[in-house]
């Protein structure tokens, strides 16, 4: 198929509606810009969605062990692991479950089509430039599954004019090794970043019961990653680029199988091509073509594969931003997506497509601003579905805004829900889950160095997909989630503080039970200070109790975790760093597993006190 230069250009650059708006590559370095909220570069203060942004500078300051460690610093985000690094993870945003949230890598969805789960635990923090977290429904922009929120992860980028390399080596507790290397080159028109990483750890024994054989060992985790980003400005009107990410490795786990050691091999990859053009002073357009793969298989030792699921996903999006005048902006777009599932389970269907059309208008006034959007998705399985969003921002003064918003969302049933083999509980007649959310935000620049954001929200979810008494999936439950969030950024002299607080009441509307594995109160605090070439920091995470089961019979105790970190810039090119996680060696668990029949339940272990020392060399070329 031939594409004319005009058609290609029409498919180009979302979000550069103002002449002084930075390019995407430049915006990724800034904490006060946002791309994911409206799929275009804009100021965070101009968006209506509650958000948290972590830049590469934040990652280097906070020294997170993993992407999960970074995510749970955002208010309203909870991460539930099943036993240490690399273990299967549940991700809750504002009380919604994993499959009710969208996770993107450079614009590409990475969720497994079978379960709807994005395996974020298998992404390397060394490959990441930036993480944007949206809290609240965004189905109008992203279609299915964006009920609780959207997380977008951007891989490493070169800064304007940069010519540098980095080499990092770290060693820590439980024979943990971390290695990464990267190259960044940029001139006036072309930017290149190539990065590679490798990590492995002996891990911990994830289970607490005493099965004989392979369960009584440390469960290791190994992960290798590679990323490439290349962009080129053809002329003042046209940018072209591509991004690639490859993550693969293996995670051991506990599941006794004739004395054999069980493994889960994994591979996550994403590729994206884009053309980004400014057609005229008022029309900006972007075309993105993407492909992602999510593969995992379970094996025992090296001679037996019991199960595998491979997801292949192709996508195409066309976004157009029109500046009607200095106050009115229009976003018009179309999305196409096709999922294909290869599995040794005999699914009744192994592929499906989805087409989406979206339209959103924004008005930016002196006293108030508005946002109004609509989207139609047509899916091969469940037909047509419409979603809407509306928001009103009242600019009280130059430092205070009130934002009132309403949005609908939906979650498409996964392949496991509707196409699974007989006996696995699939139901081809399932309807999508549907949500309605209302939210009130207050955003205040209390002082030059103090920023406070608070949100009060309520979400109702209908047609929740659960298994009935015969273990068949049905649209049975209703859920409602009430919540309050607060985020405070404070700088006092050389001190920098970041506080995130979340209070939620997530309930099954029919039984009144608290939704399982959701803590009702979470708090995250980071304190950092610079002493010339030295930097010191501390983190405190507090999580209240939760229930592991839907009947609220098995309670998991709350806990608090303390971490310390420090670094020394020994020279312009060499930095030494040390971090201590779970300094008080707290014993805690966020999930349980069952053993035998009748079932007995045991806690998954989580890591105790850990230390990691690293050296980073960043020569200028």
């Amino acid at each position: 198929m031939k594409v004319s230069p005009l058609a290609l250009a029409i498919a180009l650059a979302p979000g550069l509606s103002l002449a002084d708006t930075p390019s995407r590559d430049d915006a990724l370095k800034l904490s006060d810009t946002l791309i994911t909220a409206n799929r275009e570069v804009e100021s965070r203060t101009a968006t209506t969605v509650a958000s948290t942004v972590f830049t590469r500078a934040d990652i280097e300051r906070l020294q997170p062990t993993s992407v999960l460690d970074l995510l749970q610093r955002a208010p309203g985000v909870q991460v539930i692991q099943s036993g240490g690094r690399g273990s299967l993870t549940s991700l809750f945003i504002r009380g919604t479950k994993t499959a009710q949230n969208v996770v993107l890598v450079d614009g590409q969805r990475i969720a497994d089509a079978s379960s709807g789960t994005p395996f974020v635990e298998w992404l390397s923090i060394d490959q990441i430039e930036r993480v944007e977290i949206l809290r609240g429904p965004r189905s109008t922009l992203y279609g299915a599954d964006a009920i609780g929120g959207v997380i977008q992860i951007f891989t490493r980028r070169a800064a304007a004019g940069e010519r540098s390399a980095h080499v990092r080596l770290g060693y820590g507790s439980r024979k943990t090794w971390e290695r990464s290397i990267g190259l960044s080159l940029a001139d006036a028109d072309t930017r290149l970043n190539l990065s590679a990483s490798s990590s492995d750890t002996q891990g911990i024994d994830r289970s607490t019961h005493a099965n004989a054989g392979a369960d009584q060992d440390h469960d290791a985790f190994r992960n290798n990653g590679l990323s490439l980003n290349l962009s080129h400005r053809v002329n003042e009107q046209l940018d072209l680029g591509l991004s690639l990410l490859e993550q693969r490795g293996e995670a051991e786990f506990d599941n006794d199988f004739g004395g054999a050691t069980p493994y889960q091999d994994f591979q996550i990859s994403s590729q994206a091509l884009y053309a980004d053009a400014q057609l005229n002073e008022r029309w900006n357009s972007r075309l993105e073509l993407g492909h992602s793969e999510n593969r995992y298989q379970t094996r025992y030792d090296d001679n037996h594969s019991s199960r595998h699921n491979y997801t292949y996903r192709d996508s195409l999006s066309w976004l157009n931003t029109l500046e009607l005048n200095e106050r009115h902006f229009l976003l018009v777009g179309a999305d196409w997506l096709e999922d294909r599932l290869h599995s040794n389970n005999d699914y009744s269907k192994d592929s499906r497509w989805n087409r989406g059309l979206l339209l959103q208008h924004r008005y930016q006034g002196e006293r108030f601003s508005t946002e109004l959007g609509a989207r139609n998705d047509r899916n091969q399985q469940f037909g047509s579905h419409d979603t809407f969003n509306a928001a009103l921002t009242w600019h009280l003064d130059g430092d205070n805004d009130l934002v009132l918003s309403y949005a609908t969302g939906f979650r498409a049933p996964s392949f496991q829900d509707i196409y699974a083999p007989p006996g696995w509980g699939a139901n081809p007649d399932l309807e999508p889950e549907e949500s309605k959310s209302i939210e009130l935000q207050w955003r205040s620049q209390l002082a030059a160095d103090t920023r406070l954001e608070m949100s009060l929200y309520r979400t109702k979810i209908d047609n929740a997909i659960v298994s009935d008494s015969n273990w068949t999936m049905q649209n049975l439950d209703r859920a409602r989630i009430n919540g309050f969030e607060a985020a405070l950024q404070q700088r006092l002299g050389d001190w920098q503080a970041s506080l995130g607080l979340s209070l939620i009441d997530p309930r099954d509307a029919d039984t009144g039970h608290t939704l399982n594995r959701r803590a009702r109160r979470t708090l995250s605090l980071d304190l950092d200070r610079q002493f010339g070439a030295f930097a010191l920091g501390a983190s405190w995470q507090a999580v209240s109790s939760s229930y592991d089961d839907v009947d609220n019979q098995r309670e998991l105790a709350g806990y608090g975790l303390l971490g310390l970190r420090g670094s020394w810039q020994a020279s312009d090119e060499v930095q030494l760093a040390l971090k201590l996680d779970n300094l008080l060696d707290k014993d805690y668990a966020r999930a349980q597993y069952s053993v035998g029949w009748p079932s007995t339940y045991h806690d998954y272990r989580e890591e105790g006190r850990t230390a990691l020392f690293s050296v980073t060399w960043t020569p200028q070329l």
Side-chain angles (χ1 to χ4, degrees):
M1 179 181 67
K2 293 184 178 180
V3 181
S4 70
L6 176 60
L8 181 64
I10 288 176
L12 318 173
L16 305 184
S17 55
L18 299 177
D20 58 350
T21 303
S23 69
R24 280 203 170 198
D25 284 344
D26 291 330
L28 291 176
K29 305 290 182 179
L30 306 175
S31 60
D32 58 352
T33 58
L34 202 60
I35 295 173
T36 312
N38 287 302
R39 300 175 70 172
E40 58 182 351
V41 178
E42 58 189 331
S43 167
R44 283 188 64 206
T45 58
T47 65
T48 62
V49 64
S51 64
T52 302
V53 173
F54 295 104
T55 64
R56 186 67 213 174
D58 295 322
I59 293 172
E60 293 172 355
R61 172 176 56 86
L62 297 171
Q63 301 183 45
T65 301
S66 63
V67 178
L68 301 176
D69 188 14
L70 197 64
L71 293 178
Q72 60 191 0
R73 285 176 154 89
V77 178
Q78 296 188 41
V79 173
I80 313 299
Q81 289 187 272
S82 53
R85 291 185 64 179
S87 62
L88 294 181
T89 300
S90 297
L91 180 65
F92 301 99
I93 301 179
R94 288 188 167 180
T96 59
K97 61 187 179 183
T98 305
Q100 293 169 338
N101 300 288
V102 169
V103 176
L104 309 167
V105 173
D106 293 332
Q108 306 306 307
R109 293 186 182 225
I110 61 168
D112 167 50
S114 175
S115 63
T117 300
F119 295 111
V120 184
E121 63 271 20
W122 295 337
L123 298 178
S124 169
I125 195 71
D126 286 324
Q127 301 295 330
I128 293 172
E129 180 70 39
R130 178 185 181 94
V131 177
E132 295 184 355
I133 304 167
L134 308 184
R135 305 187 299 278
R138 220 61 185 162
S139 284
T140 303
L141 275 296
Y142 292 97
D145 310 334
I147 289 178
V150 178
I151 295 172
Q152 181 153 205
I153 297 166
F154 297 91
T155 50
R156 296 285 285 261
R157 301 295 203 278
E162 183 178 2
R163 296 183 62 86
S164 67
H166 81 266
V167 179
R168 179 176 178 270
L169 178 65
Y171 180 75
S173 304
R174 302 177 185 88
K175 299 181 180 179
T176 298
W177 283 98
E178 295 184 355
R179 318 162 192 88
S180 68
I181 186 170
L183 175 68
S184 295
L185 300 173
D187 59 21
D189 297 319
T190 305
R191 303 188 191 196
L192 169 69
N193 180 276
L194 178 63
S195 299
S197 64
S198 176
S199 65
D200 54 83
T201 180
Q202 175 181 272
I204 60 174
D205 185 6
R206 295 180 183 176
S207 61
T208 53
H209 72 290
N211 263 10
D215 280 0
Q216 296 179 330
D217 66 349
H218 291 280
D219 298 308
F221 176 62
R222 306 168 189 89
N223 191 358
N224 299 309
L226 178 69
S227 66
L228 169 68
N229 272 282
L230 176 64
S231 63
H232 177 67
R233 167 151 288 197
V234 179
N235 53 46
E236 291 298 320
Q237 290 75 39
L238 179 61
D239 290 340
L240 302 175
L242 66 88
S243 62
L244 306 172
L245 173 69
E246 178 85 12
Q247 296 274 177
R248 60 175 63 195
E250 64 178 13
E252 298 178 7
F253 62 97
D254 285 338
N255 183 19
D256 192 41
F257 187 80
T261 300
Y263 297 86
Q264 192 156 51
D265 296 325
F266 63 85
Q267 178 183 348
I268 297 175
S269 63
S270 69
Q271 302 94 41
L273 295 168
Y274 73 84
D276 191 305
Q278 190 75 36
L279 300 182
N280 57 46
E281 63 179 6
R282 296 189 179 276
W283 183 4
N284 197 269
S285 185
R286 183 181 183 97
L287 182 67
E288 294 185 359
L289 177 65
H291 175 79
S292 65
E293 298 182 11
N294 193 319
R295 304 179 175 210
Y296 66 90
Q297 71 172 17
T298 301
R299 62 181 172 86
Y300 295 87
D301 287 336
D302 295 318
N303 54 20
H304 177 71
S305 176
S306 65
R307 182 170 64 97
H308 72 263
N309 279 317
Y310 299 160
T311 296
Y312 302 91
R313 179 174 291 116
D314 295 316
S315 64
L316 179 67
S317 68
W318 179 25
L319 298 173
N320 295 274
T321 302
L322 304 174
E323 184 181 352
L324 305 181
N325 58 40
E326 63 180 8
R327 298 193 181 278
H328 292 268
F329 305 89
L330 196 63
L331 177 65
V332 183
D335 294 319
W336 172 82
L337 183 74
E338 182 178 18
D339 289 338
R340 301 183 304 280
L341 180 65
H342 292 186
S343 174
N344 58 355
N345 293 326
D346 188 18
Y347 286 79
S348 61
K349 293 185 179 181
D350 59 10
S351 68
R352 70 181 180 193
W353 51 259
N354 188 91
R355 297 193 298 261
L357 298 174
L358 67 97
L359 177 67
Q360 180 167 275
H361 173 268
R362 289 187 297 137
Y363 167 75
Q364 296 179 352
E366 294 182 0
R367 298 300 301 169
F368 69 91
S369 300
T370 61
E371 180 179 279
L372 184 64
R375 180 184 176 107
N376 173 263
D377 281 278
R378 185 164 186 81
N379 186 279
Q380 187 176 8
Q381 167 65 27
F382 57 80
S384 182
H385 202 92
D386 298 320
T387 50
F388 309 91
N389 73 287
L392 171 65
T393 303
W394 183 17
H395 308 296
L396 301 177
D397 54 41
D399 297 322
N400 292 273
D401 289 337
L402 282 178
V403 183
L404 178 64
S405 60
Y406 173 84
T408 63
F410 74 104
R411 178 217 158 198
S414 69
F415 279 58
Q416 181 69 43
D417 294 332
I418 54 180
Y419 303 138
W424 288 60
N427 180 357
D429 298 322
L430 288 175
E431 296 293 327
E433 298 176 325
E434 298 180 336
S435 72
K436 299 176 181 178
S437 299
I438 188 168
E439 180 177 2
L440 178 64
Q441 299 178 59
W442 173 42
R443 303 172 179 177
S444 179
Q445 192 70 43
L446 297 176
D449 296 320
T450 305
R451 177 74 178 174
L452 176 64
E453 299 178 3
M454 296 191 296
S455 300
L456 189 66
Y457 62 88
R458 179 182 178 90
T459 297
K460 296 176 64 178
I461 302 174
D462 294 324
N463 295 330
I465 298 173
V466 297
S467 60
D468 62 16
S469 58
N470 296 316
W471 301 100
T472 300
M473 306 307 293
Q474 303 284 358
N475 292 113
L476 292 179
D477 279 2
R478 296 178 300 125
R480 68 111 180 102
I481 305 169
N482 298 328
F484 169 79
E485 293 171 357
L488 176 66
Q489 302 287 331
Q490 174 74 61
R491 180 177 290 277
L492 292 172
D494 294 326
W495 285 98
Q496 180 178 348
S498 178
L499 173 70
L501 171 69
S502 177
L503 308 175
I504 63 172
D505 182 17
R507 292 189 181 274
D508 183 316
D510 296 320
T511 66
H513 292 155
T514 299
L515 300 180
N516 64 318
R517 296 189 176 179
R518 280 82 151 178
R520 300 181 66 170
R521 300 176 300 280
T522 58
L523 181 144
S524 176
L525 175 64
D526 284 294
L527 291 173
D528 292 274
R529 181 168 179 177
Q530 194 76 33
F531 298 88
F534 294 90
L536 294 177
S539 298
W540 174 255
Q541 181 189 9
V543 178
S544 71
S545 61
S546 59
Y547 293 102
D548 186 68
D549 63 318
V550 296
D551 294 325
N552 292 179
Q553 298 299 306
R554 303 194 310 275
E555 186 173 8
L556 296 163
Y559 60 91
L561 302 177
L562 175 64
L564 297 178
R565 57 185 172 270
S567 64
W568 173 39
Q569 194 69 44
S571 70
D572 291 341
E573 297 183 346
V574 177
Q575 184 188 69
L576 309 179
L578 174 67
K579 68 171 181 175
L580 302 171
D581 290 330
N582 195 359
L583 183 65
L584 304 180
D585 202 23
K586 179 68 176 179
D587 185 15
Y588 69 101
R590 292 301 307 270
Q592 295 181 330
Y593 60 96
S594 63
V595 177
W597 186 262
S599 297
T600 58
Y601 292 89
H602 304 265
D603 291 345
Y604 279 111
R605 286 193 177 101
E606 296 297 338
E607 294 204 53
R609 184 186 299 113
T610 61
L612 183 78
F613 173 77
S614 64
V615 180
T616 304
W617 178 42
T618 54
Q620 300 300 306
L621 304 179

